[in-house]
Amino acid sequence: MTTPLTDTVLVLGGTGTTGSRVVAGLRAAGVPARAAGRRTEPPFDWTDPGTWDAVLDGVGRMYLLLPDDVDLPAGFLERAAAAGVHRVVLHSDRAVDLMDVTRLQEAERAVRASGLGWTVIRPDWFAQNFETFFRDAVLEGELALPVGDARQGFVDAQDIADVAVRALTTDDHVGEVLELTGPQALSFAEAADVVGAAAGRTVRFDGTPEAYRAAMGAAGLPLEVVEELVTRFGAVAAAGDTTPTGTVERVLGRPARSLARYAQEAAARGVWA
């Protein structure tokens, strides 16, 4: 069953890696989409309830992506429902329980209890992390992350966005938690080789806590923050290899994009030039 596409869809986080792709996908499908963030017009600020009503006005559905280290504010979902929102797709994380990401666990509980039609999307590691968080490491040829040699399900942000668009514009996935991976599980060392080959660079990976502590210490991250991250990433290492879920393929009816394809396209865009 298809939801009427006359509703305006609010995309919170609509200028970021995934949100911008959600906005583009909705508009390409002829669906009215409103990107919202601090620099949009009207502006939206999670910490300022005075900015909420203007972006919620006339909205029927909502893609909800919280910034890092921001909790879902009490009363926001109630305000959205009062404004006419009836569907919410929450962008969470596949490691939400494994890494004990409290703010996202609480957001998932709130969405389920909201009375709105809901879908939770839980992506694995973004392929695009290699052009954002890990870009400097790629350029320097040294990437450290304390996850050992456990294989991960690197997923392309375009696939995440396409799944989100499907969840926002159909009734097919209401009440579902969609765990998204790419088509193949790769260790970070293998992923670094894939990215390095596309970028024409050698990228060495070190999955030990010691190397991560040294890298983060050199970057000026406080010791207590580093140790918390070592503990959380350690849970990923201890969990072992990921098994690709096939959810992207099931939802979209096409193959998921591989990390190699992403890396080749990113290199062609000059990401690591």
Side-chain angles (χ1 to χ4, degrees):
M1 181 185 301
T2 301
T3 302
L5 302 184
T6 55
D7 287 345
T8 294
V9 180
L10 174 63
V11 182
L12 297 169
T15 59
T17 298
T18 306
S20 61
R21 289 170 167 83
V22 173
V23 170
L26 289 166
R27 290 175 177 168
V31 179
R34 178 182 301 161
R38 289 186 176 184
R39 296 178 178 84
T40 59
E41 183 56 46
F44 176 83
D45 187 339
W46 284 106
T47 66
D48 182 3
T51 67
W52 297 354
D53 288 341
V55 298
L56 289 168
D57 183 44
V59 168
R61 289 162 287 162
M62 177 171 64
Y63 178 75
L64 198 167
L65 192 159
L66 291 164
D68 290 341
D69 301 322
V70 171
D71 296 335
L72 180 63
F76 177 76
L77 291 175
E78 290 80 1
R79 185 89 68 93
V85 173
H86 57 84
R87 173 76 60 79
V88 58
V89 174
L90 173 68
H91 182 117
S92 184
D93 190 292
R94 194 163 183 234
V96 61
D97 296 322
L98 182 63
M99 295 181 71
D100 195 25
V101 187
T102 305
R103 67 186 185 87
L104 292 180
Q105 291 170 328
E106 292 177 350
E108 287 193 12
R109 285 192 287 269
V111 163
R112 289 189 180 99
S114 67
L116 305 174
W118 60 267
T119 306
V120 173
I121 291 177
R122 289 180 170 182
D124 213 324
W125 297 88
F126 286 23
Q128 280 73 13
N129 285 346
F130 286 98
E131 65 183 81
T132 54
F133 300 112
F134 304 146
R135 181 175 183 271
D136 288 346
V138 172
L139 296 178
E140 292 164 6
E142 297 281 351
L143 172 61
L145 200 67
V147 295
D149 58 4
R151 287 182 167 84
Q152 310 300 325
F154 297 96
V155 60
D156 196 292
Q158 188 61 57
D159 286 344
I160 300 169
D162 289 348
V163 168
V165 169
R166 187 66 58 88
L168 286 162
T169 58
T170 75
D171 296 335
D172 296 344
H173 304 290
V174 175
E176 289 188 30
V177 176
L178 302 175
E179 296 201 352
L180 308 184
T181 68
Q184 180 184 16
L186 299 169
S187 69
F188 260 93
E190 292 168 334
D193 286 344
V194 169
V195 170
R201 298 173 177 272
T202 297
V203 183
R204 289 175 291 273
F205 175 72
D206 193 324
T208 65
E210 293 75 19
Y212 184 72
R213 289 187 180 102
M216 293 301 99
L221 207 62
L223 179 60
E224 63 274 15
V225 175
V226 174
E227 290 307 315
E228 180 182 352
L229 290 170
V230 166
T231 298
R232 291 191 177 190
F233 286 128
V236 175
D241 292 348
T242 284
T243 299
T245 61
T247 303
V248 170
E249 293 86 344
R250 173 174 65 86
V251 172
L252 300 179
R254 62 161 175 79
R257 295 161 61 93
S258 68
L259 184 68
R261 176 180 173 184
Y262 156 74
Q264 291 159 3
E265 293 178 355
R269 288 188 281 114
V271 165
W272 304 294

